[in-house]
Amino acid sequence: MAESVMTKMAYLFEEGNGTMKDLLGGKGAGLAEMTKLGFPVPPGFTITTEMCNEYRKLGKKFPAGLKEEIRKLMTALEEKMGKKFGDPDNALLVSVRSGAKFSMPGMMDTILNLGLNEETLQGLIKQTGNERFAYDANRRFIQMFSDVVLGLEKKKFEIMLEEKKRNLKIKEDQDVPAGTLKELIGEFKKFVLDSTGSPFPEDPYEQLYLAIEAVFKSWDNPRAVVYRNKENISHDLGTAVNVQVMVFGNMGDDCGTGVAFTRDASSGKKEIYGDFLMNAQGEDVVAGIRTPTPISRMKELHPEIYKQLEDIAKKLETHFKDLQDLEFTIERGKLYMLQTRSAKRTAIAAVKVAVDLVKEGLITKEDAVSRVTPDQIDQLLHPYFLQKDKEEFVQKGNLLAKGTPASPGAAAGIVVFEARDAIEQASQGNNVILVRPETSPDDAQGMLVSKGILTSTGGPTSHAALVARGWGIPCVVGCEAMTIDPDKRLFISGGKHYYQGETLSIDGTTGEVFLGALPTESPNDLSAECKELLSWADEIKRLGVYANADNPRDAQKARNFGAQGIGLCRTEHMFMESDRLPIVQDMIMAAPEAVRLKAQVDRLNKLWVKADEKEKVRIKKDLEKFGKALDAPWKDYRAALDKLLPIQREDFRGILKAMEGLWTIIRLLDPPLHEFLPSFEDTLVEVTTLRLTKTDPEQLTKKEALLERLKAMREFNPMLGLRVCRLGIVYPEIYEMQVQAIFEAACELKKEGVDVKLEVMIPGVGHVNEMKFTRDAAKYIAEKVMNDKGIKIDYKIGTMVELPRACVAAGELAKYAQFFSFGTNDLTQTTYGYSRDDAAKSFIPVYVDKGILEHDPFLILDREGVGSLMKLAVEQGRKTNPDIEIGICGEHGGEPSSVEFCHFLGLNYVSCSPYRVPIARLSAAQAKLKEDKKAGSYENR
Amino acid sequence: MAESVMTKMAYLFEEGNGTMKDLLGGKGAGLAEMTKLGFPVPPGFTITTEMCNEYRKLGKKFPAGLKEEIRKLMTALEEKMGKKFGDPDNALLVSVRSGAKFSMPGMMDTILNLGLNEETLQGLIKQTGNERFAYDANRRFIQMFSDVVLGLEKKKFEIMLEEKKRNLKIKEDQDVPAGTLKELIGEFKKFVLDSTGSPFPEDPYEQLYLAIEAVFKSWDNPRAVVYRNKENISHDLGTAVNVQVMVFGNMGDDCGTGVAFTRDASSGKKEIYGDFLMNAQGEDVVAGIRTPTPISRMKELHPEIYKQLEDIAKKLETHFKDLQDLEFTIERGKLYMLQTRSAKRTAIAAVKVAVDLVKEGLITKEDAVSRVTPDQIDQLLHPYFLQKDKEEFVQKGNLLAKGTPASPGAAAGIVVFEARDAIEQASQGNNVILVRPETSPDDAQGMLVSKGILTSTGGPTSHAALVARGWGIPCVVGCEAMTIDPDKRLFISGGKHYYQGETLSIDGTTGEVFLGALPTESPNDLSAECKELLSWADEIKRLGVYANADNPRDAQKARNFGAQGIGLCRTEHMFMESDRLPIVQDMIMAAPEAVRLKAQVDRLNKLWVKADEKEKVRIKKDLEKFGKALDAPWKDYRAALDKLLPIQREDFRGILKAMEGLWTIIRLLDPPLHEFLPSFEDTLVEVTTLRLTKTDPEQLTKKEALLERLKAMREFNPMLGLRVCRLGIVYPEIYEMQVQAIFEAACELKKEGVDVKLEVMIPGVGHVNEMKFTRDAAKYIAEKVMNDKGIKIDYKIGTMVELPRACVAAGELAKYAQFFSFGTNDLTQTTYGYSRDDAAKSFIPVYVDKGILEHDPFLILDREGVGSLMKLAVEQGRKTNPDIEIGICGEHGGEPSSVEFCHFLGLNYVSCSPYRVPIARLSAAQAKLKEDKKAGSYENR
């Protein structure tokens, strides 16, 4: 707003409207809107947020002219009410309330009955004929004013009141007689004088200005600042101040006060819900001094009032098109509205209300989709603890620790420290919480049967977190306050030892860990309303939503949750299963030697062609030597591959069948091979022990050989080592076996009439030659199998884009890749140079704490860094091949802000764990709505 | 060339010139140029390279009209010589030679005496009156023709000749009588008929066409293809064919043949150099059947011929402005030139000739700088083995293995397996070769005293390679054929065991490892000529050339080699030295706990400010608890830092003094802290052993504590872990200590009158907030020290750009960084996702072998991938801050092709190890010359 424009400093309620939240705050805009619509709102005015900012800018001074403006508006109120502010005979009293654009804790709340002093008090007594009411009003005013304006401790005043009550043997405030209240007013004022050195202000305008200043100042109080930081609310918004004529709920039994929701904010049920108290002021409800009555009883107790309320509630909801949170006061049988705003609500209510409002014709499907947050959908998908149960546990001292929430949901069970114990306990029907320093692929079976997983190390993308999220198992990681010793089957927390068999409850949504069993609430399935809402989201969204699923069970789950395909089927999880791991290990032990010698033989054969006689003699000798050496490892290598082929074929049959009619993207082997072998460390300890004890020379020899192989395969930085497509280039036979299994499975199914749609994904490509090599090899096998079987499968070959170099070379890659899938876990890792296994436990928390990073980039996609590279890849890839299909299958694919980014980037789909599919569907729709609204690109946001 | 243009198929020598190498090949262009200049060249013509390509395109068919064209030109030769091709009485004989643009092994060489058949042979006898000469000429022709055109084995013909000689008891070919030669011709022809089923072609034109076809075909023979692949020569160039009238060096004692260099191609000395043989044909010189005479003796033996040669050589050199490699024939006392071309030469000669030619006014300084290759400068800088010595060792079977050449130069010495043994042996005056599976910073002292380093693992950027290259120590890494067991003090190679004390010779330029001691040749210093040449390079180049140096000795070396500053002074090497390592370890053991607790205390102090009374009680209790816990580790941490401060100050004093007047870029601590601690593995074995043996409970407790700390600090991928600026953010006290030491040293020196120019470099920045945080902290300390000392130092603060995210965010970083230095080792690592410690030994060799990658990207900068990101960073950085100084300090900074790329990228400087500074200076100048020549950007190359 240009400085030259003379802006309005304050608005009478009738001058504003509901859209003016920036200027009038939420409360002020609501009051203005209600006034405009003719609802019974006590007259008042709102001082704008700009005045607050101006006041702060001037170093806590009233902006020039503001006091005059306030007096002018007070005069308007006086005229309206036929009363005068400070008039001893007929005094106007007002309330002063803060009201920022967003409501936030820590802001000054309310001062009631402002304008009372010794003179006007007498007038009020005369006017109402109710001495006790008047003294009580004055007593309350002094108490509130002293607390929020003068900064005197509320408690001190309460103690004085309590003393009086004790002396009089009175329990309830409302039973304190007028005389005592009168005494109390004197004592309060004396206390103010003693504490502040000044008398309690008697001039009503002085009271008013001080109260307004207190609201202005409360914008900068620490709790409000912390809250705004946390919620990403700008510190420049400022708060408005509402000055409103008092109506009294405590003038007698035809008076009262209350709060109400136009529908049940907990279940979403369509009925007025709330509490009221007759002959009371609002603070009595809040303070909990008296027990309020449910609104459901108002109908019989006060039918006329209920009728007014019902009528107003309906009109308000119709007008605001949303569930409203109301404050009202009844003065002498007449209902006055003091506030209306959109109500906070539970996830269940959010969904039900949104869907119901559509059915009632109040809002559109698009509105409904906008109003439910992805977090709410998330809550609906996981078991949870009730807040009250948790609070009870906290009070009992049962909150043991807080770690990083890694997979949402709540679980309680008995503690085990080893995967095998988990399996054993679970088989006996026990609910199990697997507690480990960290997990590894070896633990997979044990994790699968656990109700919850808890680790002391690792971050939200650690192995434990990834697996847990994939399977929808609640998980807390990086719980550093706990020292976990699986060998001794114990963990230490707060200096105490806890052993296997102990009961724990973990909340994967918040990271809390409780001692003892909390009852869990289970959502079972998506509600019908939720399904309906998501079907509307599907109509709106442009992004496809796929799921990451590695087996038929997960694939089915994904379909149930509305996935349109599988964006990532990881074949390594198949390798991990216990029946095949030994075969995989045989393959790995034989492969390096087999491949090394084969390359040698190939090289010699090539040399042979152009060698002269003399050289040929030498080459022949070498060929014999190497050929002989090659024989055994090659046979072992092939034998293992031949055993894996039919197993893999069955794996792929299962998943392709479950996904009939939908595209399934199968990724070829990805992790470094040593992940399938026993740990180097354990083997080192075993060998050292065997060497010293000399008990089992045979075993020693065997273990030494294993140790040698493990040593040879060891990498300083396995994430950057021999993995992804590098495996398929160094050991082409492994990828060939996988592709053969995939296409044999597909052909069999097709023959059986199943509609198979297949995409083969090459991981970790960085150079176009990697793409070409692996694509050509896969294509060759695919065509061969299809030719042999005489069957044609609809298939594509593409790549993951998960290295910065892939982004840079995307234009080249798109010559050979029919689709791209961003692997943003790895891409984040290499773009930042952060190991996702290490960073979360070491420096990322420090970074977030010191404000270096806003979020953990493994949780929320880094738009500036990683996002720029993705943008480049999309542009370059589409330039080469405008039809290329581009998606994302990293963990970010189910995170709302990241899904939005993917939408604006123009991706074709996101893929995430089945449990996040509904969230992604909603987020994708919301991104589209945002786009429609702004009609701008994501760069201009 | 458009198809409609009628192109010339072949050129008489007088029709061409020296610039037509594309069309006429190198040899043809040289012959044409000499003919044009009036040198005595036997007449002839050259069939163009286009005809070769046409022939290949047509599927090995003569292009239409070519045969007619050849006949036409042959007629021209006939007229010129007054002879006729195939004329029984006066036959014209010709030679046929290949001649591509670049000479390459595997191409068809020469057929002499073509045109001889039964009839023309008789004519030749009559004409020359020399029956033996004529039969011998025919015998040679059949032999050569059968070999290269008919594909019959040369050996078979030699066996027949040898049999005749044995029967006649004759040793030398020239003693074989005419009659025997005549018999041999008959037997040769019979053998041809028997072997091929066709008689030897008698028609001279048939002979000629077949010979020409053989040349065409030889373009595609495997050796030539392999060579072109290796040398990056296009397969589309094709070869020309030279048909030239025969002159005979074997017609009597006034005839002869020889090869000569216009200067000594080995030393560069200005005198004609070469060999000749009287009464011989060229092949006799090549075959080594007779021992040729040095040209230096020609002066006295054949003064008139020498005069002709001297005269021609001088003229040719003046004309071609370069050292020439000549072939000549003397027929009846007259010298004929058969070839001239720029001579291959040694590194020493290349430099000397280039400098001399400038002084002789023949070429410009720019020409001289262009003509010496960076590889030649490299050769001049390192000790080397003589080729003949190596060949002798190979024949004796002493070549043990071949690894990856990692640091050039040659060294011989006795084998040791541990750094401490190296130090001990070296102190006794022994030359030592340190042989280890891999090296670590612990080995630094031992590496420094070794003459050579050999490892069985690791690639060209492994620790061993980096350190060795930095210190100019010859090094071979990744020598996988050797199994090295330092514990047993032995290595195994080819199944044999070799123990400590064995003698090895290693060639770090080629990767060869020999058993036994080879004599090394040492270049000592750059020659005066080399220094002069490089001073010219400095005049030309635009890039600054800095050196990477970590101590005063290296800094001095860098200055001697012409470095203009230090681009990278690594402070971690200072931490490694034995007197300070224990202090560093104390610091590391205390730091995590100290910093963790301090953060806790800080957090509590912050909470205090906004807490209410009740909270304050709790906070106070916590503060006491944590404050107490913090006390001990914090004291330990600070004590270690305080001990390091004066030591580091001395380090920086030394280096800044050595670099007086030049900019010195000091990088703050970079590697993960656990690199300074004992190895996890060793400690694990120790603990396991101590647990089992129960011999030393006290030691066990100590080692267990160490193991715990090592475990806590362990990272899955340390390259992506808590290192670089992350250290300076998590442990700000370490960077603060370093900055304080740097500025205290600088202030002291300035006070003493030393001109200090200082740049502080923050490693591994990826996010602008990292830059801001570390820059602000460093600046604060710097200003504080300067204020305290009352001294102003000229300084900058900048960052390494070594992460993809830094490239993407360069525009932001440039707001706070005054300079960028590309760390292309790490940038390559993260851009590709290749661990440089692992990739070189595992998959990069396979990738290069399979053609996935052209080079190891850690050796030669990947322009397409890493280069694109660098380009982006330069553009974005300069957009924000046009004056930002941008350089490179990765290993690529001394690699010629990468230096060229940096030039075209517009960097300000490159920085490399001192030993590579001369190479970088030359490469930088050559890049500038290339730019001037093409006047285009690097993208258009």
Side-chain angles (χ1 to χ4, degrees), chain B residues 58-114:
Chain B
L58 295 170
K60 304 193 177 175
K61 286 212 172 68
F62 266 62
L66 179 57
K67 287 190 179 174
E68 292 68 23
E69 181 69 15
I70 291 168
R71 280 186 185 263
K72 218 177 74 192
L73 293 171
M74 286 299 289
T75 309
L77 296 187
E78 287 169 347
E79 279 168 14
K80 218 170 272 197
M81 303 304 293
K83 298 184 174 196
K84 270 187 89 75
F85 194 47
D87 183 339
D89 297 324
N90 188 19
L92 181 72
L93 300 183
V94 296
S95 66
V96 176
R97 286 185 173 93
S98 70
K101 185 172 181 184
F102 307 101
S103 78
M104 60 188 73
M107 291 290 296
M108 198 207 78
D109 190 26
T110 303
I111 299 176
L112 299 177
N113 311 335
L114 187 140

Side-chain angles (χ1 to χ4, degrees), chain A residues 770-832:
Chain A
E770 292 177 313
M771 186 68 225
K772 194 169 174 318
F773 184 99
T774 48
R775 198 236 14 193
D776 289 353
K779 201 169 169 182
Y780 173 80
I781 301 283
E783 300 289 337
K784 191 170 171 303
V785 171
M786 292 189 299
N787 268 342
D788 289 354
K789 307 261 176 194
I791 282 175
K792 202 88 201 100
I793 302 288
D794 206 4
Y795 80 102
K796 293 182 186 177
I797 300 178
T799 183
M800 285 189 79
V801 174
E802 50 183 340
L803 292 167
R805 202 183 185 291
C807 295
V808 171
E812 284 291 300
L813 298 185
K815 288 184 190 165
Y816 304 101
Q818 290 170 287
F819 64 90
F820 285 169
S821 177
F822 286 108
T824 47
N825 297 347
D826 271 33
L827 188 58
T828 300
Q829 183 158 255
T830 40
T831 301
Y832 269 98

Side-chain angles (χ1 to χ4, degrees), chain B residues 507-749:
Chain B
D507 189 333
T509 313
T510 60
E512 291 158 308
V513 178
F514 299 95
L515 192 63
L518 274 168
T520 52
E521 301 288 317
S522 252
N524 291 327
D525 191 9
L526 290 174
S527 64
E529 278 102 349
C530 192
K531 283 183 180 165
E532 190 157 13
L533 183 83
L534 290 175
S535 76
W536 300 339
D538 289 345
E539 289 167 19
I540 295 165
K541 74 186 172 57
R542 189 173 60 215
L543 273 176
V545 175
Y546 285 29
N548 301 347
D550 307 338
N551 54 53
R553 200 194 53 206
D554 286 354
Q556 192 51 55
K557 203 180 288 165
R559 285 195 93 130
N560 294 349
F561 281 129
Q564 296 161 276
I566 288 186
L568 175 61
C569 169
R570 282 165 289 226
T571 53
E572 54 270 26
H573 289 179
M574 303 168 179
F575 277 34
M576 288 294 179
E577 287 179 35
S578 54
D579 56 332
R580 40 198 84 170
L581 196 54
I583 310 173
V584 173
Q585 291 177 344
D586 285 349
M587 177 185 84
I588 295 170
M589 295 295 278
E593 197 63 3
V595 165
R596 191 180 69 78
L597 290 167
K598 180 143 188 305
Q600 194 70 270
V601 168
D602 289 349
R603 211 170 296 130
L604 288 168
N605 276 324
K606 252 191 235 161
L607 281 176
W608 175 267
V609 179
K610 40 194 163 167
D612 65 22
E613 289 308 304
K614 213 172 92 191
E615 285 172 329
K616 280 186 180 170
V617 175
R618 193 181 54 76
I619 291 173
K620 205 171 162 189
K621 225 157 76 189
D622 281 352
L623 264 174
E624 271 163 26
K625 190 181 82 185
F626 284 111
K628 215 160 132 190
L630 172 59
D631 203 42
W634 188 257
K635 231 155 67 188
D636 292 348
Y637 180 41
R638 281 271 28 137
L641 287 167
D642 291 345
K643 272 188 227 166
L644 284 173
L645 177 69
I647 299 174
Q648 283 260 286
R649 189 166 53 221
E650 277 312 298
D651 291 334
F652 296 129
R653 257 193 77 97
I655 201 150
L656 288 172
K657 195 164 180 188
M659 292 307 286
E660 170 158 24
L662 300 180
W663 284 100
T664 302
I665 303 183
I666 298 174
R667 180 176 73 181
L668 302 182
L669 198 65
D670 180 271
L673 294 181
H674 55 62
E675 283 197 7
F676 300 97
L677 298 179
S679 108
F680 174 80
E681 229 167 90
D682 293 349
T683 312
L684 182 62
V685 171
E686 283 179 70
V687 166
T688 309
T689 307
L690 284 165
R691 275 180 187 156
L692 277 167
T693 56
K694 293 177 185 164
T695 45
D696 191 343
E698 204 174 307
Q699 181 71 354
L700 175 59
T701 312
K702 223 176 103 187
K703 289 283 177 184
E704 277 180 331
L706 175 63
L707 187 65
E708 274 314 296
R709 175 51 46 90
L710 291 174
K711 214 175 211 167
M713 295 184 75
R714 239 170 138 214
E715 295 178 310
F716 294 107
N717 302 286
M719 265 299 171
L720 307 176
L722 179 51
R723 54 181 290 251
V724 294
C725 70
R726 298 159 205 170
L727 285 174
I729 292 170
V730 174
Y731 305 119
E733 297 78 11
I734 299 179
Y735 273 20
E736 282 166 16
M737 180 275 289
Q738 291 200 298
V739 174
Q740 189 179 342
I742 291 168
F743 279 85
E744 285 180 357
C747 287
E748 278 178 16
L749 288 172

Side-chain angles (χ1 to χ4, degrees), chain A residues 687-695, chain B residues 685 688-690 692-693:
Chain A
V687 166
T688 307
T689 306
L690 285 166
R691 276 181 187 156
L692 277 168
T693 55
K694 293 177 184 160
T695 44
Chain B
V685 171
T688 309
T689 307
L690 284 165
L692 277 167
T693 56

Side-chain angles (χ1 to χ4, degrees), chain A residues 681 714 720 770 835 847, chain B residues 681 714 720 770 835 847 850:
Chain A
E681 228 168 274
R714 236 171 140 215
L720 308 176
E770 292 177 313
S835 163
Y847 266 37
Chain B
E681 229 167 90
R714 239 170 138 214
L720 307 176
E770 293 177 313
S835 163
Y847 266 37
K850 296 197 178 183

Side-chain angles (χ1 to χ4, degrees), chain A residues 296-464:
Chain A
S296 54
R297 296 211 53 216
M298 193 193 255
K299 204 169 179 174
E300 49 185 281
L301 295 173
H302 308 278
E304 353 48 68
I305 298 173
Y306 184 79
K307 213 179 152 306
Q308 289 178 59
L309 181 63
E310 195 179 30
D311 182 48
I312 288 174
K314 197 173 171 184
K315 280 186 185 154
L316 280 171
E317 211 179 54
T318 307
H319 179 70
F320 287 105
K321 301 178 177 183
D322 197 8
L323 160 54
Q324 296 291 299
D325 169 1
L326 312 173
E327 284 179 24
F328 60 88
T329 287
I330 308 148
E331 189 181 81
R332 300 204 165 123
K334 177 164 168 37
L335 194 72
Y336 290 94
M337 299 308 299
L338 299 184
Q339 175 168 296
T340 188
R341 61 179 177 190
S342 281
K344 296 225 158 109
R345 63 205 79 178
T346 64
I348 292 167
V351 172
K352 180 162 169 49
V353 169
V355 172
D356 285 351
L357 289 177
V358 172
K359 295 196 173 158
E360 291 163 26
L362 281 177
I363 61 172
T364 63
K365 290 175 181 177
E366 284 76 14
D367 292 334
V369 166
S370 310
R371 283 190 188 174
V372 176
T373 68
D375 272 359
Q376 288 169 327
I377 295 292
D378 192 16
Q379 282 173 39
L380 295 181
L381 284 162
H382 298 282
Y384 52 91
F385 298 135
L386 291 176
Q387 192 57 33
K388 68 168 181 54
D389 291 341
K390 291 209 287 186
E391 279 163 13
E392 199 179 294
F393 259 48
V394 170
Q395 286 191 337
K396 277 165 59 184
N398 279 17
L399 178 61
L400 271 192
K402 208 168 163 183
T404 306
S407 176
I414 60 167
V415 171
V416 295
F417 295 94
E418 297 284 352
R420 54 179 175 277
D421 296 335
I423 295 166
E424 198 203 318
Q425 290 288 332
S427 71
Q428 292 167 22
N430 291 320
N431 287 343
V432 161
I433 306 287
L434 180 62
V435 177
R436 291 196 54 77
E438 72 214 343
T439 63
S440 76
D442 291 343
D443 301 323
Q445 289 295 329
M447 294 167 82
L448 187 56
V449 299
S450 298
K451 291 289 169 206
I453 296 162
L454 170 63
T455 72
S456 55
T457 66
T461 55
S462 61
H463 178 266

